[in-house]
Each structure stands twice: as C-alpha cells, then as structure tokens.
Amino acid sequence: MLDIKLIRESPDLVRDNLRRRADDSKMQLLEELIQKDQQWRKSLERTNALKAERNTLSKQIAETKKSGDDASELMARSAQIPKDIATFDSETQALKTRVDEILMSLPNLLHESVPVGADDTANQVVRIWGKPREIDFELKSHGSIAESLGLADFDRAARISGAGFYYLKGDLALLDMALVNYAVNFLVERKYTLIEPPFMMRRSAYEGVTDLGDFEQVMYKIDGEDLYLIATAEHPMAAMFMDEIIDVDTLPLKFVGFSPCFRREIGAHGVDTKGIYRVHQFNKVEQFIFCNSDDSWTLFEELQGNTEAMFQALGLPYRVVNVCTSDIGTLAAKKYDIEVWFPRQGKFGEVTSCSNDTDYQARRLNIRCGKHGSDNKSVPHTLNNTAIATSRAMVAILENYQNADGTVTVPEVLRPYMGGKAVLSRP
RNA sequence: GCCGAGGUAGCCAAGCCCGGUAUGGCGCCGGUCUCGAAAACCGGUGGUGUUCCACCUCGGGAGUUCAAAUCUCCUCCUCGGCGCCA
C-alpha cells in the first residue's frame, strides 16, 4: 500500500512512476483516488462540524441538569442533529471505503533501475555464473530420470490427488530433505532465525501480504473455514507482526522459514514439465527481513548473495535477471530472479525470486517500527528471497548431474545430509 | 463440538451493576539535576483532518438515547474446562 500522504503531496511523482508500468486502468484508479480523497476530506470536515455542535450541546445539557435547571429546550435542539450526522456520516464512510479500496489495489513504486518492458523477454541479465557441463549422451528429462530410477511416482499421485502432485521415493525424497537441511543450516550460520510458520492463514492477514488477485488465481481455501493454505512461508513471516510496533532497536530481523507451499495455478503442461517442475505443492526454504528503510537496498543484495552462494555450492550454472515492469508484480520495488540452466530444455528457468517490497507490504499489514511512546514511528521495509525451492532445485540437479548410465550424481555439499551417498540409486 | 470467563492505549489493570465523554501503574521519549549515569521530580506517550483547533478511538457492527467503554441485540477473536486427538 502506498502512503496516502505521498500521493497528496507528490501526485506527479506517483503518476510518473505508475506510467512506467503502462497500465491505464491503474492510472485511472489513481486519478479517482486523488479526487475521492479530496471529497472525503471535505465531507469529513462537514461531518465533524456537526459532531462538534452535538458534543457542545451535550455538555451543556449535562451541566444544566447537574445544576438542577430545565434542559428540555437544549434537548429539543440537540434532537435534530443525529439525523443530519447520519446522512453526512454515511457519505463520508462511502468515500473513505472507496479510497481504501483503491489504495489497496495500487502497486508499489518501482526502483529506478527496473527495466521497462511488455513481457519477460525484457528482463535484464545482470550476470551469469558457471558453465553448462558438456554432455555427449542423449539427455533425459528430470521426470523420466526419476521414474526410471523408481524415485518418483506421478501416475499414482495423479490418481489420488490429481495432476500436479507426486510421490517422491527413496533417494529423491532424501534429496528433498537434504536440500532443506542444507539451506537452513547455511542461513542459520549467517544468523538468520529459523521459523516454522503456520501453513494456513486467515483472510484478513492474507490480504496484507499479497496481491488481491492471488485469492482467485493462486490460493487454496479451506472449505467452510476462514483459512487459506500458504503459497510461501514469506506470507506468514510477513504477517507475523501485523498491527504491531516493532522496537526499532531490534532491527533488522532476519528470518529463514521452512514450509510446504500450496499453489493452484500450475500453468502449461508438456514433456519437459511432467514431473515436479510445476506442481501444486512443494517444499521451500525462504528468507525474510524486516529492516529500517535506510538498510533495505544493502540487505536486498545480501539476500541475493546468500542464494547465489548456495547455487554456486550446488554447482548449478545460472544467470541473474533484473525483472522488468510487466513481470514484477504489485508488491516489489525491485526483483531479481535466479534462472538455472536446464540442459534438457536448453534454457534458463526461474528457481528463486528476491524482492524488496520497501514499505508497501508493511503498510498493508499496519506494521510500524519505533519506540513505544515516542513520536517518530515509521514503517519498516520488508524483503524476501527464496533460499531453495526443493522442487525446482531437484529438477536442476537431476538434469545437470545425470550420467550416461541413467544414474544421477549427488552434489558434494549435499552428501553429508544424505548419509554420504554420492549417487542416487534405485530403492 | 459443548460449557465457562474475557477483549480498555506498547504492556498490565480500573471504570461497566447505577449512561454525562479515558483513570492508575509499568515501560518508553523529552526536560531539570549530574563530569556521566542511576535515583528523584516535571512534561509527554492511540488515529485522522485544512494540526494554536476539531473529530474519532474501549475487538467489530447495529440499535436505544440529547449523550454509550457503560444499556440491548448480532458477530469475530482469545483464554480456561470438558470431549476428540499425533
């Protein structure tokens, strides 16, 4: 959520920023917001004047009665006011409701370095790390590797849960847990506090952490309950301090969360996406930070550095892209994606996403920072980055580390988490 | 799921029966004092607006009333007990 004061004081700054997204409907909403906000303030003023009159009369009545005099004339005058107040009040509230509604639907201000573009081809490559292995045999897709080794069962999963689900078996299930443990240990060593969050959230909390469109497109709702399955551990970590004031001396708060992630939308199917590339459920280790506004750009690079260090240790070639205006979404001011090399598809694919949401997400959640009782409270910045989403990471490992004989080598850093195992083998 | 008790400012409480517009303590911020700190004392410490002023705020909503934290109804949430349970 944007600061309404910023919109009042510097509407052109907001307009110019929004123009970069080339979204006419949002621009119209902004203009409506500016207009309705002015009307709301006028309406509020009139309503308040009436309430002031009522309060004054009320006080006089109380005093008159206390001194034993007759207050019936004052009471008769006062009796007219509530009707007028009710009329003005409902008008004021209607305007305010609309103002808030628009405010919730406007996107964050973009950082100046975000590239402008109409689709993801405009994403800007920031750097490339590593070189794809030279492979002189016919590459298999991750799904057929896993199936032929007996390490995954997609058909039975589809029968009992539908497409987009999976059974992982034996060493592949172990690899999943190894990736989680590796990422958690890596970040705990760097002083991030491990969080195991709730896997479901109420709507009121969820509206603060994400785009309203996600409710229709992405999230699973529990039937008959006000509960949604989380799409990422980012969400419960962000909402953790909803409606609170964080003691400024404790910032920055650095967390590493672990959770399964549930998502309805899985997109296109195909021979290379059969398996665990696009799924309704996957495990993910996620980084999250609350910090002072001055520190967020430094910490943004720290989060990105953490994840790159892990993918380097895993020996997976990747590139980093600066995500463009059409692809960045509503919350982030800037976003880096890591795209790992998928040899079978012969292209880079997204495996992590690092966002600086500046004060936008915290304001939606009504989180402030400062000292209790002091005047200078402000809105903290929030940042999030994937550490490792195990599903995509496993696809990358299966494809990049596959051998001519159909086996898969285990990346060295993961072996301590797999009982020293160097090769994935049939159960 | 059933029964009970609760929800008041950053935290803890009072006020509710009997309606008259938010009371105290802790914490925190500022000041006095001090070489500095502690203590003590003084002031401040929810939100909004056109900020010397006014309005709103006692979980949320509706109602009664000139006037609601207080009375009535609805609703949400939390805690405790029972039930179920890894």
Side-chain angles (χ1 to χ4, degrees):
Chain A
M1 193 163 82
L2 296 176
D3 187 353
I4 186 74
K5 284 179 183 160
L6 178 75
I7 296 173
R8 281 175 197 152
E9 286 160 18
S10 317
D12 283 338
L13 186 151
V14 180
R15 281 189 189 105
D16 290 346
N17 196 287
L18 198 52
R19 197 165 288 128
R20 293 169 62 201
R21 291 178 181 265
D23 185 337
D24 284 346
S25 64
K26 296 289 186 206
M27 195 61 94
Q28 281 170 22
L29 281 175
L30 175 63
E31 297 306 329
E32 188 190 339
L33 172 65
I34 290 168
Q35 195 196 0
K36 290 269 159 65
D37 178 56
Q38 276 171 2
Q39 291 174 7
W40 169 67
R41 284 184 288 168
K42 271 191 196 136
S43 182
L44 183 68
E45 205 187 332
R46 276 189 310 225
T47 312
N48 282 350
L50 273 175
K51 287 183 176 176
E53 196 184 335
R54 179 199 58 193
N55 290 346
T56 312
L57 279 169
S58 246
K59 239 174 242 170
Q60 286 173 5
I61 290 166
E63 279 162 22
T64 308
K65 282 191 163 182
K66 213 180 270 176
S67 64
D69 296 338
D70 179 25
S72 55
E73 194 190 324
L74 283 168
M75 282 166 68
R77 262 210 287 159
S78 198
Q80 298 305 316
I81 296 177
K83 280 178 218 133
D84 294 337
I85 289 179
T87 311
F88 283 116
D89 234 0
S90 62
E91 182 191 307
T92 308
Q93 273 175 30
L95 285 163
K96 178 66 170 156
T97 302
R98 183 59 183 154
V99 164
D100 290 343
E101 201 176 273
I102 298 175
L103 212 46
M104 282 295 271
S105 66
L106 288 176
N108 198 0
L109 296 178
L110 297 165
H111 190 264
E112 57 187 2
S113 65
V114 175
V116 174
D119 58 54
D120 61 7
T121 58
N123 292 349
Q124 198 174 70
V125 177
V126 175
R127 61 184 155 266
I128 298 179
W129 182 90
K131 277 208 184 88
R133 248 173 89 206
E134 305 229 340
I135 293 175
D136 54 5
F137 54 88
E138 199 188 334
L139 285 163
K140 293 210 265 184
S141 74
H142 82 275
S144 57
I145 296 169
E147 279 183 322
S148 66
L149 285 172
L151 297 176
D153 188 336
F154 304 113
D155 296 336
R156 288 197 176 88
R159 218 179 333 128
I160 69 137
S161 302
F165 293 92
Y166 51 85
Y167 286 98
L168 297 187
K169 296 156 72 176
D171 285 354
L172 193 55
L174 207 55
L175 183 68
D176 186 318
M177 297 176 74
L179 283 163
V180 168
N181 286 324
Y182 167 67
V184 166
N185 284 354
F186 183 97
L187 287 159
V188 166
E189 272 174 26
R190 279 164 178 70
K191 307 293 180 205
Y192 285 65
T193 304
L194 179 61
I195 305 287
E196 186 175 311
F199 299 161
M200 300 179 208
M201 288 169 61
R202 292 189 179 132
R203 175 135 191 159
S204 61
Y206 228 125
E207 283 181 348
V209 296
T210 192
D211 187 321
L212 297 174
D214 285 352
F215 286 96
E216 275 62 54
Q217 304 208 325
V218 178
M219 259 122 46
Y220 284 104
K221 186 180 188 311
I222 303 296
D223 189 35
E225 307 268 348
D226 177 24
L227 285 172
Y228 293 81
L229 287 171
I230 59 169
T232 159
E234 173 208 334
H235 297 156
M237 285 196 284
M240 191 152 64
F241 298 105
M242 180 171 75
D243 296 324
E244 290 193 44
I245 298 169
I246 301 174
D247 187 333
V248 73
D249 294 340
T250 66
L251 296 178
L253 296 172
K254 299 182 180 181
F255 298 124
V256 46
F258 165 66
S259 80
C261 304
F262 302 94
R263 299 184 184 183
R264 281 164 57 203
E265 193 182 80
I266 57 170
H269 294 264
V271 63
D272 286 308
T273 56
K274 176 178 185 182
I276 54 173
Y277 190 83
R278 295 177 195 278
V279 279
H280 289 306
Q281 178 195 321
F282 58 94
N283 292 323
K284 181 155 65 74
V285 177
E286 176 83 4
Q287 310 171 69
F288 196 91
I289 290 180
F290 293 93
C291 70
N292 278 308
S293 55
D294 292 343
D295 302 330
S296 74
W297 291 108
T298 308
L299 290 165
F300 179 62
E301 298 297 333
E302 176 181 310
L303 285 184
Q304 179 61 19
N306 289 339
T307 302
E308 285 189 48
M310 283 184 271
F311 277 84
Q312 288 175 18
L314 288 169
L316 295 170
Y318 67 84
R319 67 180 188 186
V320 177
V321 299
N322 183 3
V323 176
C324 78
T325 49
S326 66
D327 216 19
I328 194 171
T330 59
L331 276 84
K334 182 171 181 175
K335 183 185 279 188
Y336 287 141
D337 281 359
I338 290 180
E339 299 180 339
V340 151
W341 179 252
F342 290 108
R344 159 78 191 200
Q345 298 175 63
K347 62 180 188 189
F348 290 97
E350 183 185 342
V351 289
T352 72
S353 190
C354 184
S355 298
N356 184 351
D357 291 343
T358 60
D359 59 357
Y360 184 88
Q361 189 179 43
R363 187 173 289 108
R364 281 175 86 103
L365 285 161
N366 188 30
I367 298 171
R368 289 166 296 161
C369 60
K371 279 282 174 196
H372 299 307
S374 88
D375 281 340
N376 46 7
K377 293 186 194 79
S378 58
V379 179
H381 282 199
T382 62
L383 306 101
N384 64 85
N385 189 12
T386 317
I388 293 179
T390 61
S391 50
R392 292 276 168 100
M394 286 191 291
V395 173
I397 289 168
L398 288 171
E399 295 201 356
N400 282 279
Y401 280 87
Q402 64 179 297
N403 300 312
D405 64 359
T407 62
V408 177
T409 303
V410 176
E412 265 184 59
V413 291
L414 297 179
R415 291 178 195 172
Y417 299 97
M418 296 188 65
K421 208 171 267 271
V423 175
L424 298 184
S425 56
R426 184 174 287 280

